[in-house]
Amino acid sequence: MEDTNMFCFQCEQTAGCNACTGVQGVCGKKADTAQLQDELTGALIGLARATEGNEDLVNETTHQLVLESLFTTITNVNFNNDTVNVLIDKVQAEKKRLVPNCFGCASSCGRTDNFDMQLLWQEEEDIRSLKSLILFGIRGMAAYAYHAAVLGYTDKEVMDFFYQALVVIGMKDCGMDLLLPVVMKTGEINLKCMELLDKANTESYGNPEPTKVSLLVEKGPFIVISGHDLYDLKQLLEQTKDKGVNVYTHGEMLPAHAYPELKKYAHLKGNFGTAWQNQQKEFANIPAPILFTTNCLMPPKESYADRVFTTEVVSYPNIVHIGEEKDFSAVIQKALELGGYKEDTQFTGINGGTTVMTGFAHHAVLSNAEAVIEAVKAGAIKHFFLVGGCDGARLGRNYYTEFVKQTPKDSIVLTLGCGKYRFHDLDLGDIGGFPRIMDMGQCNDAYSAIKVATALAEAFGCGVNDLPLSMVLSWYEQKAVCVLLTLLHLGIKNILLGPSLPAFISPNVLAILVKNYNIAPITTPEKDMEKILAGNV
C-alpha cells in the first residue's frame, strides 16, 4: 500500500464490498485522516499495554481518553486531522505518565510500544478478520460507554475490557482459538454496556413512553439536532427555552421525544428529515442550523456548511465546534439570523407519512406484558419481526421497506436504529391493542429488544430461539457490529443480515458463524418471508 493511500473496511459502504484503499474513502474520509486514525488506534494499544502492572495509576482521565479516542475512529465521526493529532498527543502523554521509565530506557524491551496497524491489515486473513471484529466491536461499544459516562455512569468491568481487547489486537502469533472467545466476550461486555446506558438514560430522563412525533416544521426560527447524545439535546433545550427557537430532532435523535424529561419542553416540536445518508440533500436549503452531536456526519456541502455545528467528538475542518463548555449561543444566534420558514411546512417520511411513533422501549412493552402474552395465546399476534439496525446509501436497502410491507397482518414489527426510516411512517394498523410497527429507540436500544425477547421466552417457558421471533437486521457501522456480537453471545440464531455481509469477515470466520448461529445474508423480501413463515429460518 502506498504512503498516500488508506486501508479501511470497517463500514458497510466500503468500496467494492472489499476495502477503501485509495486517497479517499466512500464516506469522504481522506487517506491522511485514515492513517492518523490508525496511528491513534496503535497509540491506544500502546497505552493499554502500559496499563498492565500499573492498574493503580489508571484513572477516570485515562478511561475518558480511551473512550473518546475509540469513538473518534467510528465511521462518519471525525474528518479533522488536527483533532486526531491532539488525541494522539494526549494518549502519548498519558502513556508517559504510566510508564515514564520506558521513554528514557537505553535498551527498550518494546512491551509498551505503540502498535503499527499495518501489521494488523497484513495479518493472515482469518486472524485479521477476528481481530477486526474485536476492534470494530469495541469502537462501537466505546460510543455507548461514552454516552453513559457523560451522564456519570461507568462500570469497571466494561472499562477493563477495553484495555484487555486492545492488548489482544496488538498481540503477535495468536490463533483463532485465542481470538474467538475474545470476540464473544466483546458481545458479552457490550450487553453490560448497553444495560449501563439504558440505566443512565432512564434514570436521567425517565422511561420512554409511546409518543406520536410530527414531521411538520412550524414557521419561525429552529435548530435541527442530529446524532445520539441526549445530554447535548437537554443542554440545547435549556439554552433555547424562551428564546423563540424551536428544536427538531434528526436521525437517531428521534427517540428523544419519548423521554418524559425531554418531551416536557414545549419547543421540542418534532422530527426533521429521514436517515443520515440523505442529509446532503435534505440540509441543502433549510433556513436553520444543524448541530451534530455524534456520528453520521457527512462532509457538508458548500451550500449549507456555514450552518453546520459540531460538538463532542464530532469534528470537520473549518466547521464551528462547540467545546466542553456546551455554550450553544452561536447555534441559537444562527437560528435567529436565518429565521426559519415563513409558514408551517409539512414534510413526510419516505412513504408519505406525516407522523411517526416512537417510545416502545422495554418498560413500555413489558408494562403491558400480560396483554401481549394474551394476544399471542389468543392467536391475535402470531409472529414478531425485529427489523432494525442502520440505514445507508447502498442500493438494495429498499428490501427492508418491502419486507415490512409483506409482514402478515397478525404480526408485530419491532424496530430500532435509523434503519426504521425506510418504513416507520407506514400505516400498518393495530393488532391486539398495539400498533403493528413499534419503534424501540436508538441502535443501543437493542437492549430493549433483548429484554422483551427474554421476558417473552420466560413467559412461554422456552428459549428465545423457540419464540415466533425473526430478526432481519441491517448494518452500516461499528455500533451495529457490537450489537450483532451481543446477539451471538446470547446464542440467538437464524439472523438475516444485509444489505451485504461485512468485508472484514473472512470465509472461514463466516463459516463458523453459519455453523454455530445459522446467520445468513438477506435474499429477496418474498423468498425470506416465505422461509420465515414456513419455519425454515
Side-chain angles (χ1 to χ4, degrees), residues 6-15 17-20 27 29 33-34 37-38 41 69-78 117 121 132-133 135-140 295 390 394 475-482 501-505:
M6 66 193 295
F7 179 86
C8 186
F9 62 173
Q10 69 177 5
C11 80
E12 184 269 336
Q13 67 181 358
T14 190
C17 294
N18 185 17
C20 294
C27 69
K29 179 173 62 178
T33 306
Q37 291 185 356
D38 274 356
T41 304
S69 298
L70 285 170
F71 196 172
T72 291
T73 61
I74 288 179
T75 305
N76 291 94
V77 171
N78 195 307
M117 290 294 288
W121 308 138
S132 295
L133 273 168
L135 174 59
F136 303 154
I138 64 171
R139 283 178 174 175
N295 55 307
C390 310
R394 192 182 295 277
W475 83 285
Y476 172 73
E477 43 89 341
Q478 296 77 68
K479 285 182 281 186
V481 174
C482 66
L501 293 178
F504 53 82
I505 294 184

Side-chain angles (χ1 to χ4, degrees), residues 207-213 257-259 263 356-361 363-365 367-368 434-435 438-439:
N207 284 303
E209 304 164 346
T211 303
K212 182 180 288 188
V213 182
H257 290 274
Y259 287 91
K263 66 190 295 184
V356 291
M357 289 288 293
T358 190
F360 293 95
H363 182 269
V365 176
S367 62
N368 292 285
F434 303 96
M438 299 170 67
D439 175 22

Side-chain angles (χ1 to χ4, degrees), residues 119-315:
L119 297 176
L120 171 57
W121 308 138
Q122 295 165 10
E123 284 263 27
E124 185 274 324
E125 185 179 37
D126 294 333
I127 302 303
R128 182 181 71 172
S129 180
L130 292 173
K131 285 189 175 183
S132 295
L133 273 168
I134 297 167
L135 174 59
F136 303 154
I138 64 171
R139 283 178 174 175
M141 186 165 65
Y144 299 150
Y146 182 97
H147 294 314
V150 164
L151 297 174
Y153 291 74
T154 58
D155 183 280
K156 185 178 185 303
E157 185 180 4
V158 171
M159 282 311 310
D160 285 348
F161 181 73
F162 284 112
Y163 300 103
Q164 296 163 12
L166 285 165
V167 168
V168 168
I169 293 164
M171 287 177 60
K172 296 180 181 178
D173 303 322
C174 52
M176 294 180 72
D177 289 346
L178 183 148
L179 294 173
L180 273 169
V182 182
V183 169
M184 292 297 103
K185 185 74 172 180
T186 305
E188 177 187 348
I189 298 300
N190 184 60
L191 177 60
K192 181 178 282 289
C193 188
M194 289 194 297
E195 181 181 18
L196 179 70
L197 181 54
D198 178 80
K199 181 179 181 182
N201 285 337
T202 55
E203 290 188 355
S204 299
Y205 308 117
N207 284 303
E209 304 164 346
T211 303
K212 182 180 288 188
V213 182
S214 173
L215 305 184
L216 173 77
V217 177
E218 298 180 11
K219 66 179 181 180
F222 68 98
I223 295 168
V224 174
I225 181 169
S226 187
H228 304 72
D229 201 296
L230 301 181
Y231 176 80
D232 285 327
L233 173 59
K234 179 69 160 36
Q235 304 312 303
L236 180 64
L237 290 170
E238 276 294 315
Q239 293 179 39
T240 48
K241 190 167 55 177
D242 302 322
K243 296 285 180 63
V245 176
N246 290 328
V247 175
Y248 293 84
T249 56
H250 172 264
E252 283 273 62
M253 198 65 82
L254 167 65
H257 290 274
Y259 287 91
E261 288 301 309
L262 298 174
K263 66 190 295 184
K264 70 181 184 181
Y265 291 90
H267 62 298
L268 177 60
K269 291 291 186 177
N271 191 69
F272 175 85
T274 53
W276 67 273
Q277 76 276 1
N278 300 319
Q279 65 190 256
Q280 291 179 329
K281 176 178 66 176
E282 294 176 343
F283 292 163
N285 299 305
I286 64 169
I290 308 102
L291 174 64
F292 282 89
T293 65
T294 61
N295 55 307
C296 298
L297 169 70
M298 296 178 73
K301 290 192 172 182
E302 186 177 346
S303 60
Y304 66 90
D306 64 330
R307 292 180 270 124
V308 173
F309 296 80
T310 62
T311 191
E312 300 291 357
V313 299
V314 191
S315 187

Side-chain angles (χ1 to χ4, degrees), residues 4 33-34 37 80 94 99-100 108 160 202 208 235 242 305 376 386 391 445 454 480 526 537:
T4 56
T33 306
Q37 291 185 356
N80 194 333
E94 186 65 8
V99 287
S108 173
D160 285 348
T202 55
Q235 304 312 303
D242 302 322
V376 174
L386 176 59
D391 204 358
D445 290 310
T454 53
E526 295 79 12
V537 175

